[in-house]
Amino acid sequence: MTDQPAIEAIGLVKRYGEQRALDGVDLDVPRGAVCAMLGPNGAGKTTAVRILTTLTEPDEGSATVAGHDILRDPVSVRRSLGLAAQDATVDGLLTGRENLEMIGELHHLGRRPAKARAAELLDQFSLVDAASKLAKEYSGGMRRRLDLAATLVARPEVLFLDEPTTGLDPRARNELWAVLDTLVGQGTTVLLTTQYLEEAERLADDIVVVDHGHVIARGDARELKRQIGGDHLHVVVADPADLEAVTRIMAEVADGRPSVDAAERSVTAPTDGGVAAISALASALVDANVEVDDLGLRQPTLDDVFLTLTGSSPEYDDEVPGALAMEDAR
């Protein structure tokens, strides 16, 4: 059992009508590791998490969590995991301490052990001073920390985090990252989805890129960057109307397919030409009368990985339209 991954999925398929939210996803996360699942809107991330946490059944494939089969033994799976969804689920009309004690009793810890566990978690998440305040009076960062603490009351072996720091300011995000570092240091396995590429690079041992229900790339941040080459030409145009012209120019100058980020008004493409490539690109842009806000040569980032692998910038909202509502209605 100790050699078995904490999370293992083989050939997961999930259909909603004629559309496949997952189309043969394989996944394995070693015990004590952090895996980040990234992908564009509708890629299948949330569907995968719902299947692994037994909220949705796959149409095909199999999976185990903490050694328990999600279909044959869902009760044991649920007892082994903690799930923190995007929205905080704590009761705003209870204090922080009361929320944690209540969850402890729901997990059959007993009144005294529940109180002790609540006190331990309040201290771990720096919430002791706010323990007697109603949760509805907490700031966004405090509520997120309380919500994460609530998922840990029963000491789960595996923790699923769906965009854990969405909406938090940089300070609150760093505080939560520090808490996650501590949990992982204590042996907790974490699978997270995130809209912050910096978060994936900061926390994850392994990054899985999902698109259209398929795993299209996998590795740590350095390995993923290496997959799309070395230096990249990068242009930010002053006028979004020039993106199409710059894309054509970049295709002629660069050594790979340009990627466009319309929201950032930017075009990026791999190159082996170094300074000569920048010079050629700048000359072509001048000839085309294109005004730019930024032009340079840079090392690839995880954003570039997304743009190159998926052809679009990362967006993280719902999955297949209406799919989650269909599941919740069942």
Side-chain angles (χ1 to χ4, degrees):
M1 289 294 293
T2 56
D3 294 332
Q4 184 177 6
I7 303 170
E8 185 174 31
I10 302 173
L12 290 181
V13 174
K14 184 62 182 179
R15 306 180 188 88
Y16 295 103
E18 297 183 355
Q19 189 163 0
R20 292 193 175 203
L22 294 182
D23 193 11
V25 167
D26 297 331
L27 182 68
D28 62 274
V29 182
R31 294 174 185 269
V34 181
C35 178
M37 184 174 290
L38 310 179
N41 180 36
K45 307 178 305 300
T46 297
T47 300
V49 169
R50 289 175 67 88
I51 288 175
L52 293 170
T53 55
T54 74
L55 296 176
T56 298
E57 290 190 1
D59 294 314
E60 298 177 26
S62 61
T64 59
V65 175
H68 307 292
D69 190 279
I70 62 168
L71 294 177
R72 292 197 295 266
D73 195 5
V75 174
S76 293
V77 171
R78 292 169 194 151
R79 288 174 176 165
S80 302
L81 65 84
L83 170 62
Q86 291 185 33
D87 298 321
T89 55
V90 294
D91 190 331
L93 298 179
L94 298 178
T95 67
R97 179 179 288 107
E98 288 169 343
N99 266 286
L100 298 182
E101 290 177 357
M102 177 188 68
I103 292 171
E105 293 186 35
L106 289 174
H107 280 285
H108 307 291
L109 297 185
R111 183 173 297 274
R112 183 172 296 178
K115 287 180 177 292
R117 181 60 173 154
E120 179 183 352
L121 289 167
L122 288 167
D123 180 63
Q124 182 177 3
F125 284 81
S126 302
L127 292 171
V128 173
D129 292 341
S132 298
K133 291 176 58 177
L134 295 180
K136 68 179 182 180
E137 299 174 359
Y138 282 20
S139 67
M142 292 168 64
R143 283 181 65 92
R144 203 65 180 123
R145 294 205 305 273
L146 180 61
D147 193 51
L148 183 54
T151 68
L152 298 172
V153 168
R155 304 181 189 274
E157 296 179 51
V158 183
L159 187 59
F160 291 87
L161 305 177
D162 195 4
E163 309 212 17
T165 60
T166 297
L168 299 187
D169 60 48
R171 179 178 178 179
R173 188 177 303 140
N174 285 330
E175 289 175 349
L176 192 54
W177 288 352
V179 171
L180 292 176
D181 284 337
T182 299
L183 293 175
V184 173
Q186 295 171 348
T188 304
T189 304
V190 179
L191 176 67
L192 66 96
T193 68
T194 177
Q195 63 177 312
Y196 300 112
L197 300 179
E198 176 191 5
E199 184 164 78
E201 190 163 9
R202 163 69 172 74
L203 296 176
D205 305 299
D206 194 23
I207 299 172
V208 175
V209 184
V210 183
D211 194 26
H212 294 93
H214 298 273
V215 174
I216 61 172
R218 181 173 183 176
D220 61 27
R222 182 176 298 179
E223 290 169 340
L224 290 176
K225 292 174 184 178
R226 192 179 301 124
Q227 287 184 31
I228 64 171
D231 293 334
H232 277 66
L233 292 169
H234 182 71
V235 176
V236 178
V237 299
D239 185 351
D242 289 327
L243 281 172
E244 184 175 349
V246 173
T247 302
R248 289 197 301 269
I249 292 170
M250 191 83 86
E252 297 175 357
V253 174
D255 298 308
R257 180 171 64 91
S259 300
V260 180
D261 187 339
E264 297 293 330
R265 296 178 286 111
S266 68
V267 182
T268 304
T271 181
D272 294 324
V275 176
I278 295 179
S279 178
L281 177 59
S283 178
L285 292 172
V286 170
D287 291 342
N289 198 31
V290 173
E291 183 179 352
V292 302
D293 287 342
D294 189 24
L295 169 64
L297 188 70
R298 67 179 190 177
Q299 292 292 314
T301 66
L302 279 183
D303 289 284
D304 298 323
V305 172
F306 265 93
L307 291 167
T308 301
L309 295 176
T310 70
S312 62
S313 59
E315 298 173 356
Y316 300 79
D317 293 305
D318 291 334
E319 298 292 307
V320 179
L324 300 190
M326 290 167 57
E327 288 293 336
D328 291 339
R330 291 179 182 175

